[in-house]
């Protein structure tokens, strides 16, 4: 059996990787998995149960209970910054990551629609899909990313203060990059795309040029 093409997109918070992943998936007719939503779902499940996301036992139970059709995966509360914080705590736990590995690999090897998959996250090119045909590492300065996140939160009707979002983002970058398990870093064969000075269309066009060179036109 020949394997289906996989596009791996990694990068820090609010770098624009989610938007890129959705547009590439739509263009190629591939299925898309936002793997951050899995870690967010684990964090949210623990918070909803009145628990502590820093507790490994509680986080692991929530990760083991997560299944592909779970309604928590599409819950609007997933996008909150308190949930992002909880997600980055549970994401530093080896056993939680191991519990979510199968979900992600199954999606990559047998994607809905059967044409190919786009996965975005922090360790797709380095750990989940090391043999992906195309790997992108999408980044931007922390100041630009904080501004983007403030706009996203405001568009969702939430109150956001740029200084606080910036500090939260720096703390999360630090935790994601320094953790012992699956730290955020580009794969050696990833195309690094800095979107600091690019709008969404420019970032998409640069990404598409690279993806075409790897897997051909959409
Ligand atoms: O949307 P944003 O980039 O802010 O965050 P996200 O992609 O939803 O990820 C939330 C958190 O989950 C991150 O800060 C990481 O700690 C963790 N995560 C991870 O460790 N590995 C992944 N593949 C995806 C997310």
């Amino acid at each position: 059996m020949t394997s289906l093409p996989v596009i791996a997109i990694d990068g820090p918070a609010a770098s624009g990787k989610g938007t890129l992943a959705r547009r590439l998936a739509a263009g190629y007719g591939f299925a898309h998995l936002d793997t951050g939503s899995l870690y967010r779902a684990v964090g949210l499940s623990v918070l909803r149960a009145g628990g502590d996301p820093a507790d490994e036992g509680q986080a692991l139970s929530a990760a083991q209970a997560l299944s592909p059709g779970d309604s928590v995966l599409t819950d609007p509360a997933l996008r909150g910054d308190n949930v992002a914080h909880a997600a980055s705590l549970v994401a530093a736990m080896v056993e939680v990551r191991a519990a979510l590995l199968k979900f992600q690999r199954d999606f990559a090897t047998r994607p809905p629609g059967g044409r190919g998959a786009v996965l975005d996250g922090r360790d797709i090119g380095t750990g989940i899909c090391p043999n992906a045909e195309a790997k992108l590492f999408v980044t931007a300065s922390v100041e630009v990313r904080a501004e983007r996140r403030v706009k996203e939160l405001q568009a969702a009707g939430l109150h956001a203060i740029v200084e606080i979002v910036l500090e939260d983002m720096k703390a999360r970058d630090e935790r994601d990059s320094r953790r012992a398990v699956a730290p955020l870093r580009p794969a050696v064969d990833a195309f690094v795309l800095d979107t600091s000075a690019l709008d969404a269309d420019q970032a998409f066009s640069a990404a598409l040029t690279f993806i075409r060179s790897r897997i051909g036109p959409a």
Side-chain angles (χ1 to χ4, degrees):
M1 191 187 99
T2 49
S3 62
L4 296 167
V6 174
I7 301 174
I9 307 186
D10 292 303
S15 54
K17 63 187 187 306
T19 306
L20 259 184
R22 276 188 297 277
R23 287 182 69 169
L24 288 168
Y28 278 91
F30 291 178
H32 169 227
L33 180 64
D34 161 13
T35 65
S37 68
L38 306 181
Y39 296 91
R40 286 174 179 264
V42 172
L44 180 60
S45 302
V46 175
L47 291 173
R48 286 243 167 101
D52 176 6
D55 181 296
E56 298 216 9
Q58 293 174 26
L60 181 59
S61 302
Q64 285 168 337
L66 197 67
S67 63
D70 223 314
S71 63
V72 70
L73 287 168
T74 51
D75 195 311
L78 279 189
R79 309 296 1 139
D81 268 7
N82 60 328
V83 177
H85 177 249
S88 79
L89 292 177
V90 305
M93 298 169 185
V94 185
E95 288 183 277
V96 167
R97 301 198 76 87
L100 298 178
L101 181 69
K102 185 175 181 302
F103 189 125
Q104 299 173 81
R105 289 240 170 105
D106 284 351
F107 188 96
T109 51
R110 285 184 296 279
R115 297 181 61 181
V118 181
L119 283 82
D120 76 83
R122 300 289 187 289
D123 63 337
I124 308 304
T126 52
I128 305 293
C129 301
N131 298 322
E133 278 67 22
K135 299 180 187 178
L136 269 174
F137 189 86
V138 186
T139 187
S141 73
V142 71
E143 289 77 15
V144 167
R145 293 188 285 114
E147 293 279 354
R148 286 181 189 158
R149 181 50 47 92
V150 166
K151 287 198 185 114
E152 273 170 28
L153 291 169
Q154 287 172 344
L158 299 167
H159 179 63
I161 299 168
V162 72
E163 288 78 12
I164 294 176
V165 171
L166 181 62
E167 285 318 304
D168 284 354
M169 201 160 274
K170 283 183 180 164
R172 195 143 65 91
D173 278 359
E174 177 87 2
R175 208 166 25 244
D176 288 351
S177 309
R178 289 184 179 255
R179 67 186 179 207
V181 49
L184 172 68
R185 61 178 172 79
V188 286
D189 51 349
F191 174 69
V192 178
L193 179 62
D194 187 328
T195 67
S196 301
L198 304 180
D199 64 25
D201 285 343
Q202 292 168 325
F204 178 65
S205 140
L208 194 56
T209 303
F210 167 71
I211 303 291
R212 279 194 186 128
S213 74
R214 289 298 166 107
I215 62 174

